[in-house]
Structure formats: C-alpha cells, structure tokens
C-alpha cells in the first residue's frame, strides 16, 4: 500500500488557469441574485483583476510546494482587446502584467491576431513565457516580411515536417508532462491573420501530436485550447489519451453558482475520460484544480473549482426594504461559499497598474458623452424575453448610418454583427471610457459599399444561419446581424435560401419614413465595419459588392461616440428592424 500511495503521489498537480481575460486588469463589477427567506436580493460588488489573481496564485503555489504537488499556471487565450487598457497601450500592458503573473504558457487566442501578425510579434518580443499555437503553420510565411513569426524563440507553433504541434514539456514526478497548445482552425474566418499563415485542423493536429507523444513514452498530456467548450468536447470525444483540456473562447463559467443566480455546470466535466476546465471571462475568476494522474496519464482524481475574489463591501437592492439583517445573512453566505475568496491583492501588481497604466485612462472616464434613460441590454441573439434581440446593437447601427451621412457619404442602410458590441449599457451617464473600454472596444474602421439586392438576401440568411446553428457549420452567435435602414424578416423553419421571407429598405422624404421592398436586381449602398465587410463569419456574399471603400477618419466606436454626444440621450424608441422566427429561438 505504501508503494502504491507513493506512486500516485508522484503525479499530483495543482493547476491554476484563466482565459479570455481581455485586458481586464482591474477588479470587475459583478451582480449576483440571492434568495433570503423568499426575498430576492440583488448584490453588486467587484471581483478579480490581476492584483487579486496574482495574490491567489502565490498562495496556491505555496500550498502546492507544501503538499509536494507540481504547480502549473496556464492562460487559455484572448488576453488582448476588451478595455481601455488595450485601446491605450496596444498590448504592452498585457505583456507586462502577464509577465508579473508568470504563466507557464498561454495559447494564442483569436483576439491576439485580430490585427494581423505584427501585434503578435510585439507580444512575443515582450513576454517571458511561451505562446503556444500548435496548429498555426508558418512554413509559407514570407522570409522578408517585417512581422515574421516563424522561428521565434517564444512561439511553439506547427511542425510541418512531423505534422504535429511543438509541445512544452514540464516535469511531473519522474515523468514528463506535455502541454499542447491548440487554437481555432477557423481563424481566417473570425480574426485577421496575415494571408501567408495557415491554421491546420485542430482535432487532426491534436490526434497526431498525442500519438507521437505516446510513441515517445510521454503519457501525461494537457491540451491548452482556445476552441470553446463545444469544440473541446468534440476534441475529447474524438482524440483519446488526453488527460486534461484547459480551454477558453466560449467564456464558460464552470461550477455550481446557482446560489448566486449564475451558472450551474460541472467543473472538470468529463468526456471520454478527459477532464475539461474553463474559467469564465474577464479575469473575474481563477480556476484552481488539484489533479492526480495515474502512471499512464489518466486523471484518477480532480477536485477544485473557479473562485471569485470579491470586495469585502457590497451593495444590496430589493423590491422591498433591505434590512441590516439581510446584509448580515448575505455576508455569512458569501463567507461560507466554497468558491468565494476575498480581496487580497499583490501590492507590486496593483502598484504597476495604478502608477503606470491607470492615469492615462482617467480623462476618458471623466468625459461624459450623453445619458441613457434605461438599461439597454445586449444579447447576441433574439430570445423569448427579447424577441428583437439586442437593445444596444440597433443604436450602434443607427450611429453608423447617421455619422456616415454626416460626412456627406450617400448610404441606404447600416449593417453590423452582434459580436462587435461587447456589453450592455446601464442607465445613467455614458462616458467615453464606457464606450471605448466596454461597449465597443474594437477600434474597427467603417467602410461604405454598393451591393445588389440579391446579395443582401444571401448575406443576411448566411450570417443568421451561422449564428443560430441553422446551417451545417455555425460560426458563433457573434455573426448575428443588426441593421438600421434595412428591415428583415427571417424564418428558420423555411428551406435554405428561402429564410429571408421579407426584406425592406428605408426611404426618407421630407422627414417621412417609408419602407419599400428590396428589389433583388437593384443596387443599394451600405455602411459596415471593415470586419463585416471582409466577408467573415457567414458574410461572404458581401464580397460581391460592386465597390467598397474605407470611410476616412470614422471607426465603429467613433461613430457611436459622436452620435451620442450630439443626441445627448438615447430616449427615442427605435422601430424593430430584426424580425426572427425559428425553432431554435434561444431561451429567455
């Protein structure tokens, strides 16, 4: 018994993980819903951020050392974009602060490569840990280009000679632990990689890499994935001998947080003996898992969860009076919750943020653009609760339309994808920081184009089919289209090619709005982001445009910022221009 216990003990690992942090270096506002004696209470507080994560990582590492566990800290991709920190510092703050957290590895996320290879190269030059992209093939990359990634010392990419991923090896007792980094093979569809690089099939690359590792006697394998939970499940189902998948991309919060009005799903979900771990989004939580492998790499035990790191203070609201007793009971509930920690911070990380980076953002926080008289909820897809979908995305489309006209450019409609809007807008003043840092953090140029009506039918259906998985291959809910000046009626129960059952264009004459049917043979002028106009995520019919040109000096967040500063308040009721019917309507 002693020998067997000793053998198992050799393969104990404490694993810390984060994903989709999106430049959320500060603690984030979070909202919970709790029930106290049939009274529903809404709790507002803050969680996470890099200083709190850094402190908990130090605690976890010390605990692992005391228990003779190996320790590993992994980031499952998408550090870039998301807040004013990225807008202002273009990835420099990300590399600096991640270096302070000291991950063992990070996998390339799609938002790292939104703007091509150059920002990735800058990041690689600055980081002190490896970036894994085991299915990114750089073998055709031009040798003369300025932002050349091939052979970078901090990059573990695809090996075309063996058709496998380059792997990171770490000691695990008397064994080696292999970490394979796999990212989205649809990268050209959803991001902006340079044209001379390719992303090889994620599942096939992983299968070949695992087989090669096993042939070398390396049985303990972790896949660090930026594929999203559904593709991680497919990966685990189709490729045997993976011990753990540490994933990101889908912003999935695993764990039972039903007592807080949040998700209730397994942490470390098992598929085909593979444990799958995800840690939510925006550095709000830290995943911590205690794992025991057998000598063949199988996970025989996994305990842990995602931990919120909350303020000591919080605000409670209710439809009835909130009493001091309510605060006492809620505080006790938070303190006794197994996956809630509190606001211990690493002083060095906090000082770096507050002294080096935060001062540049204060002016933007103080610049008020306008007022929102009620909460405007952003949801990517229509639902039973919001049958016309997002309440803020139509305002974004309206701003694109209006500000393009203000420049003297003739257009008939604006069209934008749901994924370009990232957050809801709460009632109250809207600051420049709110727009640039939360709602529209991607500084994407706008383009005008002229397109035949028949292709408008096609691109709307294609984008919606992808977003709602009414097609063979879905591209994600972010492709769902929101419009202004273009009203569509979609019925997902119809045959492919016939799901846009009605399409109308807005005509304005002497202040009177009239809706006319779109003529498939006529041409119409539109404005979209350059991302949408590039034909990604189901928008490929837009590539049939007669012409397409950049709008000088107008980006997506600029259009919305200018628009709201002129109208001052978003109190007009917008006529719904999205009419969606489908058997696959998302739940309320």
């Amino acid at each position: 018994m002693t020998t067997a216990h000793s053998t198992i003990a050799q393969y104990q690992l404490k694993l810390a993980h984060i994903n989709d942090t999106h430049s959320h270096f500060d603690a984030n506002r979070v909202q919970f819903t709790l029930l106290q004696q049939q009274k529903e209470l809404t709790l507002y507080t803050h969680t996470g951020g890099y200083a709190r994560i850094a402190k908990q990582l130090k605690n976890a590492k010390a605990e692992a050392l005391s228990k003779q566990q190996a320790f590993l800290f992994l980031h499952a991709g998408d550090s870039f974009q998301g807040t004013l920190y990225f807008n202002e510092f273009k990835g420099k703050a990300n590399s600096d602060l991640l270096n302070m957290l000291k991950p063992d590895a990070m996998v390339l996320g799609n938002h790292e490569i939104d703007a091509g290879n150059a920002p990735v190269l800058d990041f690689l030059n600055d980081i002190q840990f490896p970036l894994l992209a085991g299915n990114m093939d750089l073998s055709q990359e031009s040798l003369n280009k300025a932002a050349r990634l091939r052979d970078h010392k901090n990059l573990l990419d695809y090996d075309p000679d063996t058709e496998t991923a380059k792997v990171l090896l770490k000691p695990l007792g008397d064994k080696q632990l292999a970490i394979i980094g796999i990212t989205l093979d649809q990268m050209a569809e959803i991001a902006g990689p340079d044209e001379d690089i390719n992303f090889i099939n994620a599942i096939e690359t992983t299968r070949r890499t695992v087989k090669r590792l096993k042939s070398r006697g390396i049985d303990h394998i972790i896949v660090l994935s930026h594929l999203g939970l559904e593709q991680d499940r497919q990966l685990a189902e189709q490729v045997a001998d993976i011990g753990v998948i540490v994933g990101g991309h889908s912003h999935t919060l695993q764990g039972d947080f039903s007592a807080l009005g949040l998700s209730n799903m397994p942490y470390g979900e098992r598929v085909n003996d593979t444990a799958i771990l995800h840690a939510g989004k925006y550095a709000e939580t830290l995943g911590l898992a205690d794992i025991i492998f057998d000598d063949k790499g199988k996970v025989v035990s996994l305990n842990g969860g995602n931990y919120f790191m909350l303020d000591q203070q919080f605000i409670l609201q209710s439809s009835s009076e909130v009493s001091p007793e309510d605060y006492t009971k809620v505080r006790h509930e938070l303190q006794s919750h197994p996956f809630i920690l509190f606001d211990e911070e690493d002083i060095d990380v906090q000082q770096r943020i507050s002294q080096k980076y935060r001062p540049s953002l204060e002016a933007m926080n103080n610049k008020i653009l306008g007022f929102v008289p009620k909460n405007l909820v952003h949801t990517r897809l229509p639902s039973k609760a919001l049958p016309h979908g997002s309440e803020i995305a139509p305002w974004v489309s309206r701003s694109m339309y209006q500000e393009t006209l203000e420049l003297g450019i003739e257009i008939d409609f604006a069209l934008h994808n749901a994924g370009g809007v990232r957050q809801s807008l709460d009632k109250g003043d809207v600051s420049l920081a709110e727009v640039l840092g939360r709602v529209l953090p991607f500084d994407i140029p706008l383009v005008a184009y002229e397109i035949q009506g028949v292709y408008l039918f096609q691109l709307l259906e294609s984008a919606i089919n992808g977003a709602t998985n009414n097609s063979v291959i879905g591209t994600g809910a972010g492709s769902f289209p929101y419009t202004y000046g273009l009203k569509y009626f979609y019925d997902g129960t119809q045959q492919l090619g016939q799901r846009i059952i009605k399409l109308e264009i807005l005509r304005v004459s002497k202040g009177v709005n009239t809706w006319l049917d779109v003529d498939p043979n006529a041409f119409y002028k539109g404005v979209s982001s350059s991302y949408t106009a590039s034909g990604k995520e189901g928008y490929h019919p837009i590539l049939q445009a007669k012409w397409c040109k950049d709008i000088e000096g107008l980006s997506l967040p600029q259009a919305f910022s200018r628009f709201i500063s002129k109208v001052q308040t978003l109190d007009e009721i917008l006529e719904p221009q999205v009419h969606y019917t489908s058997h696959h309507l998302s739940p309320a």
Side-chain angles (χ1 to χ4, degrees):
M1 288 294 294
T2 304
T3 304
H5 179 77
S6 176
T7 301
I8 291 174
Q10 286 185 335
Y11 310 116
Q12 292 189 22
L13 173 69
K14 183 178 286 291
L15 173 65
H17 60 104
I18 54 178
N19 54 269
D20 300 284
T21 49
H22 287 298
S23 312
H24 284 258
F25 307 134
D26 296 324
N28 281 280
R29 187 185 184 209
V30 67
Q31 176 181 326
F32 299 145
T33 302
L34 303 95
L35 286 176
Q36 293 287 341
Q37 296 179 338
Q38 305 306 310
K39 181 192 290 188
E40 184 175 287
L41 297 167
T42 302
L43 181 151
Y44 299 96
T45 186
H46 292 83
T47 184
Y50 274 33
R52 296 181 190 183
I53 286 175
K55 180 64 175 178
Q56 297 304 329
L57 285 171
K58 287 183 178 179
N59 292 347
K61 195 168 187 178
E63 182 182 351
L65 184 62
S66 70
K67 293 182 177 179
Q68 297 184 315
Q69 296 170 300
F71 180 79
L72 199 61
F73 171 41
L74 300 175
H75 191 309
D78 273 5
S79 166
F80 278 17
Q81 303 285 10
T83 72
L84 282 174
Y85 286 111
F86 189 80
N87 288 61
E88 186 71 10
F89 299 106
K90 306 301 181 189
K92 290 294 184 181
N94 300 69
S95 54
D96 181 28
L97 294 170
L98 278 173
N99 283 338
M100 295 188 78
L101 296 189
K102 299 179 181 177
D104 290 280
M106 173 178 153
V107 67
L108 179 78
N110 51 294
H111 285 296
E112 270 74 64
I113 202 163
D114 275 337
N117 290 21
V120 181
L121 179 61
D122 286 343
F123 186 67
L124 285 167
N125 288 339
D126 292 340
I127 59 177
Q128 298 164 7
F129 52 87
L131 181 67
L132 277 52
N135 57 325
M136 181 170 72
D137 182 7
L138 299 171
S139 61
Q140 303 304 310
E141 192 179 33
S142 170
L143 298 177
N144 300 319
K145 66 192 296 186
R148 184 167 172 258
L149 303 181
R150 187 176 177 182
D151 299 324
H152 197 286
K153 63 182 179 64
N154 286 333
L155 180 64
L156 294 177
D157 56 325
Y158 182 75
D159 183 347
D161 294 331
T162 61
E163 298 185 320
T164 63
K166 299 171 186 176
V167 302
L168 177 65
L169 296 176
K170 291 283 187 177
L172 183 66
D174 61 354
K175 302 279 188 179
Q176 284 186 306
L177 173 66
I179 304 164
I180 307 169
I182 296 292
T183 193
L184 290 154
D185 47 31
Q186 312 102 315
M187 200 68 85
E189 281 292 312
I190 67 169
D194 288 5
E195 292 183 357
D196 57 359
I197 66 173
N198 297 301
F199 288 84
I200 310 302
N201 183 277
I203 290 175
E204 292 303 319
T205 302
T206 306
R207 180 181 287 115
R208 291 191 295 266
T209 306
V210 169
K211 182 178 179 181
R212 188 164 188 262
L213 288 167
K214 297 286 285 186
S215 71
R216 294 168 54 195
I218 299 173
D219 297 313
H220 295 76
I221 298 168
I222 290 176
V223 173
L224 183 56
S225 151
H226 194 79
L227 300 176
L229 181 60
E230 285 302 321
Q231 287 198 58
D232 284 341
R233 288 168 173 161
Q234 294 175 30
L235 182 65
E237 182 66 36
Q238 296 182 40
V239 181
D241 299 318
I242 300 171
V244 180
I245 296 174
V246 179
H249 185 57
S250 54
H251 295 196
T252 304
L253 177 64
Q254 291 181 327
D256 182 0
F257 296 102
S258 53
L260 305 177
L262 301 179
S263 61
N264 179 9
M265 61 187 304
Y267 177 78
E269 172 186 340
R270 297 292 188 104
V271 175
N272 195 23
D273 286 334
T274 297
I276 302 173
L277 304 176
H278 282 243
K281 66 185 189 324
Y282 303 159
E284 293 172 349
T285 56
L286 173 66
L288 290 171
D290 291 311
I291 303 170
I292 300 177
F293 298 92
D294 68 15
D295 61 350
K296 293 300 181 183
K298 180 179 178 181
V299 174
V300 296
S301 173
L302 188 151
N303 293 292
N306 288 312
Y307 289 83
F308 284 95
M309 295 151 280
L310 302 182
D311 290 351
Q312 295 286 349
Q313 303 301 318
F314 54 86
I315 296 171
L316 289 180
Q317 291 182 353
S318 177
S319 57
S320 58
E321 184 180 353
V322 178
S323 68
E325 185 182 8
D326 289 328
Y327 274 92
T328 300
K329 289 181 177 178
V330 168
R331 184 173 298 281
H332 175 73
E333 184 171 346
L334 296 178
Q335 289 173 339
S336 59
H337 195 288
F339 296 108
I340 288 180
L341 303 168
F342 287 92
D343 57 358
E344 287 186 287
E345 291 184 344
D346 181 274
I347 298 300
D348 292 336
V349 173
Q350 187 54 49
Q351 285 184 347
R352 183 71 60 87
I353 295 169
S354 61
Q355 295 174 11
K356 186 173 181 179
Y357 299 113
R358 195 176 295 142
S360 298
L361 312 187
E362 290 177 356
M364 295 186 202
N365 279 310
N366 293 331
K367 184 171 183 179
I368 302 302
L369 300 174
F371 181 78
V372 175
K374 72 179 190 71
N375 292 343
L376 294 175
V377 177
H378 178 58
T379 176
R380 291 185 170 189
L381 297 179
S383 66
K384 293 175 183 177
L386 294 166
H388 302 294
S390 173
E391 295 175 324
I392 184 62
W395 279 109
V396 173
S397 294
R398 168 81 179 272
S399 73
M400 295 162 58
Y401 175 89
Q402 195 66 42
E403 293 306 310
T404 302
L405 288 177
E406 293 263 341
L407 293 175
I409 299 172
E410 182 185 345
I411 55 164
D412 301 305
F413 67 90
L415 171 68
H416 187 49
N417 64 301
V421 181
R422 305 304 284 188
Q423 297 280 348
S424 302
L425 261 180
D426 295 334
K427 176 181 176 180
D429 289 335
V430 180
S431 69
L432 182 60
E434 181 86 351
V435 174
L436 299 182
R438 293 183 66 248
V439 180
L440 298 169
F442 306 139
D443 193 24
I444 309 170
L446 295 184
V447 298
Y449 52 93
E450 187 173 13
I451 190 167
Q452 197 170 11
V454 63
Y455 297 118
L456 286 177
F457 282 89
Q458 292 177 14
L459 74 87
L460 286 167
E461 177 175 327
S462 176
I464 298 168
N465 287 342
T468 59
N469 288 318
N470 273 318
S471 60
V472 177
I473 300 175
T475 57
S479 69
F480 195 88
Y482 287 94
T483 58
Y484 186 81
L486 191 67
K487 186 191 299 183
Y488 67 80
F489 297 76
Y490 172 92
D491 186 351
T493 65
Q494 301 299 314
Q495 295 295 314
L496 280 169
Q498 301 175 21
R499 290 175 175 167
I500 302 296
I501 58 176
K502 191 174 181 63
L503 183 59
E504 297 177 330
I505 198 82
L506 177 66
R507 293 297 186 220
V508 182
S509 177
K510 297 180 180 179
V512 177
N513 291 350
T514 304
W515 290 96
L516 302 176
D517 288 339
V518 167
D519 180 350
N521 296 312
F523 282 84
Y524 302 91
K525 294 172 182 173
V527 59
S528 295
S529 72
S530 59
Y531 180 84
T532 300
S534 68
K536 298 178 187 293
E537 297 196 69
Y539 284 92
H540 51 274
I542 209 170
L543 300 176
Q544 301 300 320
K546 186 177 179 180
W547 53 261
C548 182
K549 61 183 179 182
D550 293 341
I551 299 176
E552 295 269 341
L554 190 63
S555 68
L556 182 62
Q558 283 174 335
F560 187 73
S561 299
R562 292 178 189 179
F563 176 77
I564 193 173
S565 65
K566 291 171 186 173
V567 301
Q568 290 296 297
T569 180
L570 302 183
D571 57 358
E572 180 185 342
I573 297 175
L574 286 180
E575 180 181 357
Q577 297 180 23
V578 171
H579 298 268
Y580 174 76
T581 303
S582 175
H583 289 315
H584 301 285
L585 189 71
S586 60

